Amino acid sequence: MIKGLICLEIKEKNKLDFEEIANYLHDAIFVSAGDGEVLFVNSAYTRMTGIAAEEVVGRNISDLEGSLFTNSVTLKVIKNKKAMNSIGKSLKTGNEMLVSGIPIFNEDGTIKYVVVNDRQIEELEGIKEELESAREKLAVAKKDTYKKKLEIDHLKKALASKNTMIGVSSHIESIKNEIEHIADTDVNILIIGETGVGKEVIANEVYTKSSRRDKPYIKINCAAIPDNLMESELFGHEKGSFTGAEKKKIGLLELADGGTVLLDEIGELPLNLQSKLLRVIQQKEIMRIGKNDPIKVDIRIIAATNRDLKARAEEGKFRLDLYYRLNVLPINVKPLRDRKEDIPELGDFFIDRFNKKYGKSKHFNEDAKRLLLVYDWPGNVRELENIIERLVVITMNDEIGEGDIRKVLLIGDDEKNFGSCNIKDEVEKLEIEILKRAMREHGSTRDMARVLGINQSNVVRKMRKYNLK
Ligand SMILES: Nc1ncnc2c1ncn2[C@@H]1O[C@H](COP(=O)(O)OP(=O)(O)OP(=O)(O)O)[C@@H](O)[C@H]1O
Ligand SMILES: [Mg+2]
């Protein structure tokens, strides 16, 4: 009968069994002829509406409207001769459905079939809920991304403010100038200077001013990683390449690809790794432990040291070829005692920072400022920074005086008259006091050098100069 009509037509054309296929569809299908005679319904239609094929097929839609369902879209399509939607309702189950009907035309423009598909509103509600929950998740993810962005901005700002390179001396000015010139090139840089002079501040400044500022910046302290772990930390390893290598590990140099690496205390890098580092610089490639294929890496190296690398090279502890490779652009940072013009500005900067941090409003009086200027600062800017932090925290009054500084610098107060004295004499007196105290507390010149933050030969030289034993 007519029910098989479309099925036959399609079968002839495509050799597909339309009826069988339609019965597998999840959506309800309802097909009528152009005059409204129902030709076919699939099993999903019966499931959804409770209306069996026998009840509708062969009958006219206008007779069914109002008795089996309401709001027939088929009638609307026939009337308007175009695709229509409506919300239909089965009077058998009370289910509401979203009904979409489309006309299929004969060549003469009359309607041949009306094909309708029904979707349960509840199901659509489910989809809507899913959509809403996906939207909520998206909103949360967006908020998260926004929060992360704020955090990154905050960290960047923190790095930038920590980074602020303070200094008005011609020495610092010329370093700033040099950074402006070289930051954007990919040239490797070697920063040399005593402990606490600001080598890392300079490295950070180079990084933030370079075109690699949005790429990784990895700081590696060569003195802090035990020798036996160093190679795998730097170059990575393959799974099972040595006992304990349970998983593959990507090394720091590979992680930094595209970015910048600060190799701090480069003088402490073991000799065997020095040659591997040379390969990174020359060939721009690394080898993971346990893998023989080199991996290309593009990194800018900033090395820092407080050692005399040339002297280490002469002792056979540093590869001379690596030294020359790194030393293409050396930046020698002077100790603070040789650029005392920077002390007032650094003092203001640190007191501001720690006043903010601890909610205080401290300031130095004139005598205190003078003492800061005559002191030798063996620990350089770091020592100045630490001492100002302690002063802001421990002093009672808003005004910080000379006596307060003497206490934290552990200098006796028998020499009070700073104003009338010559700075050089004052420096010497302070040095003697500090050396004496260090001698009392630490037996060897080696230990003294460690606490004073200067090297041993410097301690010995100063003790000889002041005739101290
Ligand atoms: N020019 C400067 N402006 C502002 N802060 C500085 C300056 N120089 C150094 N500092 C501060 O002094 C401290 C020591 O600086 P940094 O860590 O850069 O020294 P370093 O030379 O790397 O020392 P080390 O050899 O011990 O690693 C840091 O807290 C840094 O912020
Ligand atoms: Mg450092």
Side-chain angles (χ1 to χ4, degrees):
M1 61 160 243
I2 318 172
K3 187 183 159 191
L5 188 95
I6 306 178
C7 169
L8 279 175
E9 277 195 11
I10 294 180
K11 237 186 202 165
E12 277 159 18
K13 264 193 180 159
N14 299 324
K15 305 199 170 33
L16 285 174
D17 188 340
F18 167 77
E19 193 172 338
E20 190 185 348
I21 294 171
N23 279 331
Y24 276 99
L25 291 179
H26 188 70
D27 284 358
I29 306 288
F30 186 107
V31 184
S32 319
D35 62 0
E37 181 178 348
V38 181
L39 302 177
F40 172 75
V41 297
N42 70 350
S43 27
Y45 179 82
T46 305
R47 200 168 54 240
M48 233 179 255
T49 59
I51 301 169
E54 298 76 51
E55 292 178 82
V56 288
V57 172
R59 297 180 62 190
N60 197 287
I61 193 89
S62 41
D63 301 334
L64 303 171
E65 164 81 30
S67 61
L68 284 175
F69 44 73
T70 56
N71 215 6
S72 157
V73 78
T74 305
L75 287 175
K76 289 185 188 169
V77 172
I78 292 171
K79 190 171 160 221
N80 296 299
K81 290 187 177 255
K82 63 175 188 182
M84 304 287 295
N85 293 313
S86 76
I87 304 284
K89 186 173 180 181
S90 157
L91 295 175
K92 284 196 120 179
T93 57
N95 277 348
E96 283 201 311
M97 283 151 300
L98 177 68
V99 197
S100 315
I102 51 161
I104 298 176
F105 294 102
N106 287 310
E107 277 178 6
D108 63 3
T110 56
I111 295 180
K112 191 176 182 188
Y113 304 120
V114 178
V115 181
V116 172
N117 89 346
D118 300 31
R119 256 183 234 160
Q120 228 151 357
I121 301 243
E122 276 164 31
E123 206 175 277
L124 289 174
E125 292 285 334
I127 293 174
K128 206 171 132 201
E129 269 166 30
E130 270 176 37
L131 188 69
E132 263 160 24
S133 107
R135 276 210 185 109
E136 266 166 34
K137 279 186 194 145
L138 190 68
V140 172
K142 268 193 184 154
K143 222 164 114 191
D144 252 27
T145 319
Y146 183 65
K147 249 171 77 186
K148 288 258 152 54
K149 191 181 162 307
L150 285 184
E151 269 170 35
I152 291 171
D153 284 352
H154 175 75
L155 287 174
K156 272 195 175 157
K157 270 196 201 129
L159 178 67
S161 80
K162 182 125 183 62
N163 234 6
T164 326
M165 209 177 137
I166 304 293
V168 289
S169 61
S170 56
H171 178 66
I172 291 294
E173 286 300 330
S174 75
I175 290 182
K176 284 183 185 164
N177 252 328
E178 195 169 354
I179 293 175
E180 289 293 335
H181 278 103
I182 58 174
D184 231 1
T185 66
D186 273 345
V187 64
N188 296 331
I189 296 173
L190 177 63
I191 308 170
I192 309 146
E194 286 181 12
T195 178
V197 283
K199 296 185 292 295
E200 193 169 332
V201 173
I202 292 174
N204 293 347
E205 189 88 356
V206 171
Y207 164 72
T208 42
K209 291 224 153 67
S210 75
S211 53
R212 292 175 181 241
R213 67 185 152 271
D214 292 320
K215 301 281 166 50
Y217 178 32
I218 296 188
K219 299 182 182 183
I220 304 167
N221 186 334
C222 302
I225 308 174
D227 281 7
N228 57 337
L229 297 182
M230 184 76 117
E231 179 168 2
S232 138
E233 282 297 318
L234 290 184
F235 297 90
H237 62 243
E238 291 297 316
K239 184 178 170 186
S241 52
F242 54 85
T243 344
E246 278 150 22
K247 278 195 263 165
K248 173 171 125 176
K249 180 187 169 105
I250 308 286
L252 294 172
L253 296 177
E254 197 176 334
L255 283 176
D257 191 21
T260 310
V261 171
L262 169 60
L263 285 173
D264 212 351
E265 309 217 26
I266 184 96
E268 313 304 317
L269 192 69
L271 269 172
N272 66 322
L273 296 186
Q274 290 177 21
S275 37
K276 297 194 174 173
L277 181 62
L278 195 63
R279 183 192 182 104
V280 177
I281 297 174
Q282 288 178 328
Q283 261 108 0
K284 298 198 176 300
E285 54 190 35
I286 58 153
M287 298 265 246
R288 283 192 206 137
I289 305 175
K291 186 175 185 187
N292 285 331
D293 303 330
I295 302 164
K296 282 276 167 211
V297 287
D298 162 31
I299 47 182
R300 177 196 217 161
I301 292 177
I302 306 177
T305 183
N306 50 23
R307 292 203 178 235
D308 181 346
L309 288 187
K310 185 100 188 285
R312 297 256 311 157
E314 276 153 17
E315 286 168 34
K317 297 207 171 105
F318 203 84
R319 286 188 65 131
L320 201 60
D321 46 5
L322 179 60
Y323 167 71
Y324 286 127
R325 273 288 178 167
L326 291 172
N327 201 40
V328 178
L329 243 168
I331 298 181
N332 280 288
V333 197
K334 278 191 188 171
L336 189 57
R337 64 185 163 279
D338 294 339
R339 48 177 170 105
K340 287 198 163 169
E341 313 90 283
D342 291 335
I343 293 176
E345 206 198 357
L346 281 166
D348 288 347
F349 174 72
F350 291 134
I351 205 150
D352 258 20
R353 179 194 280 175
F354 296 122
N355 272 337
K356 274 199 199 105
K357 179 168 171 191
Y358 297 107
K360 309 266 180 174
S361 41
K362 310 266 166 160
H363 63 272
F364 291 112
N365 68 19
E366 289 309 309
D367 286 344
K369 284 182 185 164
R370 222 166 299 144
L371 179 53
L372 293 179
L373 270 178
V374 293
Y375 182 62
D376 215 14
W377 301 110
N380 293 297
V381 185
R382 180 179 295 111
E383 188 185 12
L384 178 67
E385 181 180 2
N386 289 345
I387 271 162
I388 293 180
E389 179 163 20
R390 276 167 62 195
L391 285 166
V392 167
V393 175
I394 64 171
T395 52
M396 305 298 279
N397 304 323
D398 277 354
E399 180 176 299
I400 300 174
E402 182 198 319
D404 297 318
I405 301 180
R406 282 180 176 277
K407 269 187 221 137
V408 294
L409 286 177
L410 310 173
I411 308 166
D413 64 358
D414 43 346
E415 284 300 328
K416 267 192 176 159
N417 186 7
F418 277 91
S420 62
C421 286
N422 156 310
I423 284 186
K424 196 162 169 284
D425 292 346
E426 283 307 318
V427 171
E428 294 195 348
K429 279 182 206 154
L430 279 169
E431 272 197 345
I432 293 170
E433 284 178 46
I434 294 163
L435 284 165
K436 277 186 180 162
R437 194 188 162 97
M439 278 165 70
R440 270 201 309 277
E441 288 177 2
H442 305 278
S444 68
T445 50
R446 191 152 170 263
D447 286 348
M448 284 172 66
R450 188 173 41 77
V451 286
L452 295 175
I454 55 180
N455 57 35
Q456 196 176 2
S457 55
N458 225 338
V459 174
V460 174
R461 195 167 42 79
K462 283 184 192 293
M463 286 177 66
R464 210 175 293 137
K465 173 175 166 195
Y466 300 127
N467 221 354
L468 299 171
K469 274 184 207 98

